Amino acid sequence: MLRMQQQVEGALVVGGMAEAEEHQEAAVYERVARMAGGNAVVVFSASGCCMCHVVKRLLLGLGVGPTVYELDQMGGAGREIQAALAQLLSPGPGGGGHHQQAPAVPVVFVGGRLLGGVEKVMACHINGTLVPLLKEAGALWL
């Protein structure tokens, strides 16, 4: 009886830890949402990332002044945000077995909504949809 009670108590503790982890994960996503909604264009970046540099230069070249968060300079919070962004960019369930995981940065939000990583930003630029998105979000007045 004592052994069963210890197992049940252990399960409660494990369950409590899982709830705490879920709460912490939700808090990270809420923080990302607040940060992403703070400006018309927000870029989550890493200071030494060449693809991040490409995205920032493209936006600046178009006349956009994005808010840039350099996650590698934010310590533990930056790592948590980067992990959350990687999950946002990963293909959903059933999205494919052998897909190479996209890098966690750069991640671009336009008008508080996730646009995507470097491939999505470049695709929108090439097909002509990036500038209208930026205008709609109030980042460009041309």
Side-chain angles (χ1 to χ4, degrees):
M1 176 76 170
L2 179 61
R3 177 176 230 163
M4 191 163 59
Q5 184 178 8
Q6 288 174 337
Q7 288 175 342
V8 169
E9 288 173 0
L12 291 175
V13 170
V14 170
M17 287 176 20
E19 287 177 18
E21 288 176 10
E22 286 178 16
H23 180 67
Q24 183 178 3
E25 189 174 305
V28 172
Y29 282 108
E30 288 173 19
R31 182 173 184 194
V32 168
R34 277 194 317 273
M35 293 166 81
N39 194 6
V41 179
V42 175
V43 178
F44 290 92
S45 176
S47 57
C49 170
C50 61
M51 290 297 107
C52 297
H53 179 75
V54 166
V55 167
K56 291 183 283 190
R57 293 301 307 165
L58 170 65
L59 292 170
L60 290 169
L62 291 172
V64 175
T67 296
V68 178
Y69 293 102
E70 299 292 354
L71 298 179
D72 60 322
Q73 297 176 4
M74 295 174 66
R79 287 187 292 276
E80 289 176 347
I81 291 169
Q82 192 164 355
L85 292 170
Q87 286 187 332
L88 286 174
L89 290 179
S90 68
H98 292 59
H99 281 343
Q100 184 177 3
Q101 187 173 3
V105 288
V107 178
V108 179
F109 286 80
V110 177
R113 292 181 296 189
L114 174 65
L115 177 60
V118 65
E119 289 180 6
K120 180 67 175 180
V121 172
M122 289 303 172
C124 288
H125 178 57
I126 290 168
N127 70 23
T129 59
L130 183 59
V131 169
L133 280 173
L134 295 170
K135 286 181 181 177
E136 183 181 323
L140 286 177
W141 294 275
L142 301 175

